[in-house]
Amino acid sequence: MSRSPSFSVKPELTIKPDLASLSRWVHSFCIMRFDLEQGQILEESYPPNRLSQEEEIEVSFNSFPDSVSQKQHNRSSIHDCIFFFRFRRDDNNNYLYGYVFNRQRHDERLKRGGEQKSVVILSHAPYSSVFRPLLQIIGPLYFDVGNKAIEHVAGFVSLWPPPVPGKLMELPIGNATLKVNLPPPHSLPLENNGVLYEESASSMAPLLPTNQSVPQGLFHDADLFGVYRGLLLQLWTLWELLLIGEPILIIAPTPPQCSEAVACLVSLVAPLFCSVDFRPYFTIHDPGFARLNSLREGDAFPPMVLGVTNLFFLKALRNMPHVVSVGTPSLNSNRVPFSSRSSAGRLPGGKSSEGLGVQQLSLRRFSPTNLLNAVKLRRDGPLCLMTEHKEAVWTSYAAITKPDTSVLNRLVDAGMSPRVEESMSVVNNEILRRHFLELTTNFLAPFGPYFQVNAPSDGSSPYVAPPPLPSFSADEFLSNLSARGVGKFLSKRMKSNWPDLYRRFLQGPNFVPWFQRRRAVAEQEQRRLWKVARMRTDMRLITSQMNELEAVDSFDAIEKYINEEVKLRESGGGSADSEASFEKLKKDLQAVFSVLPRDMQELLLSNPQRASLLQDPSELQ
């Protein structure tokens, strides 16, 4: 991101926002204030009246760090942090994402020694790569100039072109330009239960993409290595848990750390579309908490990933089967400095810059001292975090995928230099993302034949019904896969009970939405291929080889396509090539008509609408 420190609000450059264009990116901007007597208060909302009363309450409680989680922060004059949350708007799985710039100002001259405010960007889209840098502009600007900063920034956002998922976009904002990669279409929720057209041109998972610079899932910019540095050996277990849709509780000392940890976990399963309900920052005031808290012992938790900071959740949700603790409590910045993160994955002394030393990490892991610590940690359970924060994973799940030591050995440790370490973290993130992208892609590869599309063969009619995609049966799939094997890549990295992982994936919440979506994309692609074939095929060459029955069937099929084109044009949904397609269909109809028996031709011409399509006599010769 390029941002000038002199960014300012100049009245003569203020742009009146176009609200329709603004809504393509932003639902609304909110200014929240924490009042010691009245609690969370919505001070300003732009555009106004965009939120229901219930949504205002939801945004209010999610826009501030939990008071319990703040007890360990050092008191300083100003403390800024950036995090994000997600909440359900209705029963149709529509969500809003809230991106927060929170400022806590400690000043003994103020009532009760300080104040707390948050600038919140609400959006329907999980564009963290856009809204995090935008917060770094609008947050400080608001605290400099007040409410006029909101409308000023909104004016620039309304000038942005529409979002193009999967593309690199340059978005001007005053004298700054945000250069961001948007997540690909296949990682985003469908709009109006339709299929995104762009998906047909995106990487048809499960094929490994050739361009590695293009993001393949949500939150590709999250700091995977930095957040999970102390739990690197557990990443494969966490990948499996999210893959099969197990409920996971992630606890961290601060909202930035817990929201980043949830984002990293969701990004692990790219390019799989994640259907698990994930909440980057979840509080006890969320309506969903009451439902979770009412679950009786033995009741199953719904598939979800909850990021929390309030230690009360450890008691309230004590039956959550998988608990992950990340982060360090001493941090108080919006970006975790790499030199301050847990050193659980370092070489002793942190001196080597050539590798993370996984062999030594593994030896330390199974040393008597660490073994005793692990046993004590497991015995005490997550409630031990009530007295001291530790990075750990509590789960009874036995992972099938083995940690890939060759990947871990490639990770670079830069010692204690924050500047060098931050650049090395970028390298490490790329290594880890590449591996898990390859791991997920290979896991999904056996489903590839069910998305195989077919184009008409040369010399055949493009008006016969295209063959259906192969039918899917879970039992048949598992039986064939067990007999055939999972492939070299996975067989080296998984235990012999790998069919169990596929079985649980098929039964979990991620499979059906992903599979149905990929099938819809494949069917759309097949329709496109057959339409291209219809445009290219010379029907006069094919009709000469048709018998009467084939000619009648082709005439009916072409007429059906013509009627579909007419309806599409009348509804305003026609594309740029609709006219050319319509004219080509008319010519093909006339070509087939020319080989029909005379009595049948006369019968067809008795219909005025049909006769108008056959009015060019030159095509009948």
Side-chain angles (χ1 to χ4, degrees), residues 522-539:
E523 289 167 352
Q524 178 178 269
E525 176 68 7
Q526 183 157 280
R527 288 193 296 270
R528 188 191 68 82
L529 291 175
W530 283 68
K531 184 176 181 179
V532 169
R534 290 194 293 271
M535 292 293 290
R536 293 177 177 174
T537 301
D538 186 347
M539 283 299 292

Side-chain angles (χ1 to χ4, degrees), residues 68-99:
V68 176
S69 70
Q70 294 295 296
K71 63 183 180 181
Q72 295 172 318
H73 280 155
N74 296 324
R75 293 185 64 84
S76 58
S77 58
I78 292 180
H79 168 66
D80 294 338
C81 69
I82 290 176
F83 59 94
F84 77 108
F85 59 88
R86 176 183 190 247
F87 68 92
R88 191 192 301 268
R89 298 193 69 187
D90 50 43
D91 295 331
N92 297 323
N93 287 329
N94 291 319
Y95 291 87
L96 270 183
Y97 295 81
Y99 302 86

